[in-house]
Amino acid sequence: MEKVYMDSDLIGRSFICSLLSAIMLSLVSLFISTEFSFFMLAIFSFIFFLFYLFIATPLQIKLNQKPKSFSIVYLFTYILASAVVTALFMLYGQANPFTSVEFYIHVGMSAVIFWVFDSVLLQKKEES
C-alpha cells in the first residue's frame, strides 16, 4: 500500500477548499431553485461541506501526490465520485436518479466547483 504524504498546510488548504466549494455549490443551487434564504444557505452549505470533507477531500489529498492544476483527469475523478455520491443520495428519494436532469446538473456543478477551487487553492503548478 502506497503511503500518502500529508502536512498541516495541505490539510488546512483542503479544509478551506471543501468549505468554499460547499458555500459556492449552495449559492448556485439556491439561486437556481429561486428559493434563496440565508437559513437554507447555511443548511445546504453544512450538508455539502460534510460530503466534500469526507468524500472529495481524501481523493484530493491522494491526487495532490502528483499535483496538476486544472487537470482533466482530476475533473473526471471528481465527476465520478460526485456521480456515485449523488446517485446514492437521490436513490433514497427516487427510483432512478439517472433519468433526472437534476442529477446530471448537480453532478456537474459539484465536480466543477470543487475542481476549480482545488486547482486554485491546492494544486501546485506542474514543474517542467
Side-chain angles (χ1 to χ4, degrees):
M1 188 168 194
E2 182 182 333
K3 287 187 177 183
V4 175
Y5 174 74
M6 294 187 333
D7 61 5
S8 59
D9 185 46
L10 176 65
I11 293 170
R13 287 183 293 144
S14 293
F15 184 85
I16 291 169
C17 181
S18 294
L19 181 63
L20 291 175
S21 297
I23 293 169
M24 181 62 69
L25 182 59
S26 298
L27 282 170
V28 171
S29 297
L30 288 171
F31 281 131
I32 288 173
S33 74
T34 66
E35 296 178 20
F36 182 83
S37 75
F38 287 107
F39 177 72
M40 291 305 292
L41 177 65
I43 297 296
F44 277 34
S45 293
F46 179 73
I47 293 168
F48 291 144
F49 174 69
L50 291 178
F51 281 115
Y52 277 133
L53 187 64
F54 293 113
I55 312 275
T57 298
L59 281 173
Q60 181 182 50
I61 290 171
K62 178 68 176 156
L63 292 174
N64 197 48
Q65 301 305 302
K66 295 178 183 163
K68 297 177 187 170
S69 291
F70 298 101
S71 169
I72 297 300
V73 173
Y74 293 2
L75 175 61
F76 285 125
T77 303
Y78 295 143
I79 288 172
L80 180 63
S82 176
V84 169
V85 171
T86 304
L88 291 174
F89 187 73
M90 289 179 81
L91 277 173
Y92 182 73
Q94 287 180 253
N96 186 359
F98 301 107
T99 60
S100 168
V101 172
E102 291 84 17
F103 168 77
Y104 295 102
I105 291 171
H106 187 74
V107 166
M109 283 188 332
S110 61
V112 168
I113 288 170
F114 190 78
W115 177 66
V116 168
F117 279 111
D118 171 59
S119 294
V120 171
L121 297 175
L122 206 70
Q123 301 298 333
K124 298 172 187 143
K125 297 281 186 220
E126 192 175 11
E127 293 185 24
S128 304

